Amino acid sequence: MVFLITTIIRNNHKIFNNLYVAVLSIVCLITLVPPAIAEDDPVLREKVIVHNDVVTLGDLFENAGIRKSVAVFQSPQLGTTGVISTSRVGVAAQRHGLIWLNPGGVKKIVVERPSRFIPLKEIKDLLTNELAEKAGIENRDNADIIFARGAKGLHLDKRNNNPVVIVNSQLNLQNGIFRAVLGTEELSGNVAKVTYNGRILRTAQAVVPNRVIEVGSIITADDIKTEKFPANRIKNRHIKNKNDIIGKSAKRALVANIPVSKRDIEIPKIIKKNEIINIQFKVPGLSLRTKGKALNDGAKGDEITIMNLKSKRKIQAIVISPGAVSVSSTAPNNTITNTANIKPPKPKSREAYIVR
């Protein structure tokens, strides 16, 4: 019997060797190649979008099964993004019986909480309409709200399209200080509420420079703007309408964002002191011209003193355009003498030159 078995093994040793090699290869493959992930194994999401206050295992993993509703982390603030390390995720998952070994070697998960943002300006407009009425300010353009320090716009759930309303408001009529609660109905049926504090002021509009305007500069529309100020700061001397300042000249340096006074501006001087100018003298049927020297600055329509360069006589003249003045025959000290050589005027006017 033993001889028979030995003979069989000796005759079939090649078959046994091949079988041994095959079994050894299978063992090696099992050892070196990781097992495939089954369809129901948990799979980590590397980017997560949440809408609630907590992050659940179902947010973090596909195939979280019965554990998908288990809360494991606090969500980021509305409108912000946070990052969680996979080591913390693994610990949290195992604590609740979810086995996950991070086969992909992921290092972090990004958690985003999108929001619908309501800018502070929209909140300001909403409060102004209600509080101005309570304060007895009829024109809403003459009311302004100053929020307490730290006031910010409002972030709501991205899915919440309900309007923001004033739930209640309180106003001190003596000093204008208010407290207002704003809210909007959430998807859950609850009302999200935010409190704002501040002060409402009665205002007046005034013109201010956008930048420093140097003395003598001609003011353009791009140089100025209108802003609101507390009504008690704006006096009758301040300019309220931009059209009243455009094209004027700065009498003194104008500081940015400071209300402009009427005494700060003037009509531009189109004739400068010591400038050589044209003098025009007109009477019915006769027009006379000569050169003169301006003895002071003058804007259009101003009466200035000039000196006739021929006669060296000082006379008064009206500024009519850059480099030109007009002399009236009825003005004092403007009589033209020594005109014996001037012929009597003909019916049609002609031009001559002043001889003195």
Side-chain angles (χ1 to χ4, degrees), residues 183-225:
T184 180
E185 186 176 352
E186 294 184 319
L187 301 178
S188 62
N190 298 324
V191 176
K193 297 180 181 180
V194 179
T195 300
Y196 287 92
N197 297 291
R199 188 175 187 178
I200 185 168
L201 302 173
R202 188 181 297 273
T203 64
Q205 181 174 277
V207 176
V208 300
N210 289 320
R211 57 177 182 81
V212 174
I213 300 177
E214 302 294 340
V215 176
S217 298
I218 305 300
I219 300 168
T220 68
D222 293 334
D223 295 329
I224 56 175
K225 61 185 177 181

